[in-house]
Amino acid sequence: MASARAAAPAAVVAARPPRSRTVPAWLWALPPVAVLALVFLYPLGLVVRESLAPGAYADVLASASFRDALVTTVWLAAGATVGCLVLGFLLALIVAFVPFPGARAVSRFIDVFLSFPSFLVTLALLFVYGTVGMANGLWTGATGAAEGPFHFLTTPWGVLLAEVTYFTPFVMRPLLAAFSQLDTAQLEVASSLGARPARIVRRVILPEALPALAAGGSLVLVMCLNEFGIVLFTGAKGVTTLPMLVYSKAILESDYAAACVVAVVNVAISVGLYAVYRTLTATAGRSPRPVPEGSKRAGA
């Protein structure tokens, strides 16, 4: 009996599973943090350190070229964002709610368009509206004039058109995703109660689309602030944005301290706008969504 009692605890101990050695959570975070520090934080630190050269910030911030580039960057980014929001909302409405052949193909093409480089759209516009483009060629061939009337691509308006053309799908994509989750019963109730399409869009669709509009618009704004390829390939005269000023200071003038100052300012503006976007989206997520009047009447 004694030997049986002694063997029982030994059997229980042997039956227990071995304790697993858990790896601390901070240890798993080391590889991505190391990669992030090497690829992003270290080069950014070098840029910030170079910008701290004596008198660099005072000279750059006081220069007329920096002020002009800042104003041009802000108004181009704001104008392109407004244009993308309006055009993207209208096109997304048509694709999502107006039945026509090829709507699904258009939606898929938008996903493909997001992978295109920005200079490709600019080159396409140059082929159509450039100085020797198709539109000017047709005009000179029909009228016999020495040159065509289309020269706006070399102006700020050409840059604005190219940015709106390229960045509009970045607004349409989140809108189409939001429209696909919209409860069609609300639309049917509002329509059965006699609401016109404009009222349905304003009172039912638009409130549901506001978070997607905020997400797409903020993304377009940040990307327009940092856009370089479109401005470069349009060859717009007198259009100098902050990224173009960085290129000019670093490559053409070899003034690396001034280029780093402009780059730091550009990064600070982008990060600040992203923080504002996060604050607005968090506030919008906490606020209750308005209930359409049609739904209230139907519920009553």
Side-chain angles (χ1 to χ4, degrees):
M1 293 292 295
S3 59
R5 292 177 181 176
V12 172
V13 173
R16 291 178 182 176
R19 294 183 179 179
S20 59
R21 297 180 179 179
T22 58
V23 180
W26 61 268
L27 193 59
W28 290 106
L30 284 181
V33 169
V35 173
L36 179 65
L38 181 63
V39 176
F40 176 73
L41 296 179
Y42 178 68
L44 181 61
L46 293 179
V47 171
V48 173
R49 187 183 67 178
E50 185 70 20
S51 69
L52 296 177
Y57 276 93
D59 294 340
V60 171
L61 298 181
S63 63
S65 60
F66 172 79
R67 292 195 299 269
D68 294 341
L70 179 61
V71 172
T72 302
T73 302
V74 170
W75 86 260
L76 278 177
T81 302
V82 172
C84 290
L85 288 175
V86 175
L87 184 60
F89 183 71
L90 294 177
L91 293 178
L93 279 178
I94 295 174
V95 173
F97 299 109
V98 179
F100 64 93
R104 182 173 296 180
V106 172
S107 180
R108 292 178 179 176
F109 175 75
I110 293 172
D111 295 334
V112 177
F113 189 88
L114 297 178
S115 64
F116 288 173
S118 59
F119 69 85
L120 186 62
V121 175
T122 308
L123 286 178
L125 291 176
L126 287 174
F127 282 131
V128 178
Y129 297 109
T131 305
V132 293
M134 295 172 55
N136 284 325
L138 292 174
W139 180 273
T140 55
T143 63
E147 60 180 12
F150 303 103
H151 302 286
F152 62 90
L153 280 183
T154 57
T155 66
W157 300 108
V159 177
L160 190 63
L161 173 64
E163 290 187 347
V164 170
T165 303
Y166 179 70
F167 290 114
T168 294
F170 288 85
V171 175
M172 294 181 62
R173 184 64 269 170
L175 280 176
L176 291 175
F179 291 160
S180 66
Q181 299 178 358
L182 183 63
D183 186 8
T184 57
Q186 298 181 13
L187 305 180
E188 295 172 357
V189 169
S191 179
S192 64
L193 292 174
R196 296 182 177 181
R199 185 176 180 83
I200 295 176
V201 171
R202 186 175 69 254
R203 299 302 300 269
V204 180
I205 298 178
L206 185 58
E208 297 290 337
L210 285 179
L213 281 173
S218 61
L219 176 63
V220 169
L221 181 61
V222 173
M223 294 179 70
C224 287
L225 284 173
N226 301 290
E227 180 54 40
F228 175 76
I230 289 178
V231 183
L232 180 65
F233 274 83
T234 53
K237 300 177 181 178
V239 179
T240 302
T241 59
L242 291 179
M244 286 294 296
L245 187 61
V246 173
Y247 172 81
S248 176
K249 292 292 185 182
I251 305 302
L252 303 181
E253 302 178 18
S254 298
D255 190 354
Y256 296 107
C260 291
V261 170
V262 179
V264 169
V265 172
N266 200 0
V267 170
I269 294 175
S270 300
V271 173
L273 287 175
Y274 177 75
V276 172
Y277 155 69
R278 294 291 297 179
T279 303
L280 292 177
T281 52
T283 304
R286 289 192 299 267
S287 60
R289 293 183 179 180
V291 179
E293 292 182 0
S295 299
K296 293 179 181 179
R297 296 174 186 173

